[in-house]
Amino acid sequence: MTMKRKSPRKFRSGRAEPIVLLPPNIQTMGSVPFTATDFAKLDAWLAEDGWPADRMDAAMLEGYLVALLAWPIELPPGAWLPSVWGIRGWKVAAKIATPETYATFIALVVGFFQELERRLTASPPTRTFVLEGDAPYMSGRYFAGAAWATGFMTALHQNSTGLRSRSAAVVAAVEDIAHYASLRSTDSSELPGVATAMSVAVMKIVTDRPPRQPLGRTLLSDPSLGIRATVAPEIAGRSLLIGPQHIGGCSE
């Protein structure tokens, strides 16, 4: 994968200016294979030290990407990627700030995104890695079900302007997922039931998607799209605090 980067310039002292990594053009990346082994690699990477405090774990990332696909959220990669590594605005975390590590990490995230799209559009739909219950989860800091729901709601907070035009079933599905974002249980034995409920909610949202809106990829890949960061009153009025400090009474 070739990453765009700014041409190096020189300071007056003659030293080269550091390379600035730019958002990827997902449209040019083509199909990126992603398997359970790749999920484990991404999960282990996110579990390592050196990330910003607000980086997503694997379960939160999955919920986040599912929401970007299922709603869909009209954001270019430069707007939604920094939340993955826990930074606001376009800046690459020091953990992945070399061209090689950045390219590898982006390929994993994009491959994950594409595999989730395949699973959501399969007939019948296939459960996602975390909601399937068989995936490793080394990067988690609290209950996987709450982390997944938090990631989903984080994406909706970035662009939930369409909630008022959606059906009562979709609004109820969003409310169901929001409920699990504040679940206080840390017992992993509760994940199967939570995963089933959230899978059902996601499919309600996907099947009731407005006909003019394709599933995720086209909207997410268009670099000309602007950022819409408004929050619909229906969501803003609810207790949907995002971040580990607000979920399940846990913090780092």
Side-chain angles (χ1 to χ4, degrees), residues 230-249:
T230 55
V231 178
E234 293 89 336
I235 285 184
R238 300 187 183 120
S239 298
L240 303 179
L241 299 174
I242 301 303
Q245 66 271 31
H246 299 300
I247 304 299

Side-chain angles (χ1 to χ4, degrees), residues 107-204:
L108 283 171
V109 172
V110 172
F112 191 16
F113 174 82
Q114 292 180 1
E115 175 60 21
L116 291 172
E117 182 179 32
R118 287 188 285 269
R119 292 186 178 212
L120 291 175
T121 56
S123 183
T126 305
R127 282 203 186 186
T128 58
F129 289 89
V130 175
L131 298 188
E132 192 175 42
D134 295 330
Y137 187 43
M138 298 172 56
S139 59
R141 292 173 288 196
Y142 51 94
F143 181 54
W148 197 100
T150 297
F152 190 96
M153 297 310 300
T154 297
L156 257 63
H157 268 284
Q158 293 186 1
N159 183 358
S160 58
T161 54
L163 186 62
R164 285 173 291 181
S165 64
R166 304 299 295 270
S167 69
V170 167
V171 173
V174 171
E175 290 175 339
D176 287 343
I177 295 173
H179 163 74
Y180 290 114
S182 59
L183 193 64
R184 294 185 178 275
S185 172
T186 56
D187 187 354
S188 60
S189 66
E190 294 193 23
L191 181 58
V194 172
T196 295
M198 290 198 295
S199 294
V200 170
V202 167
M203 292 320 302
K204 285 181 181 178

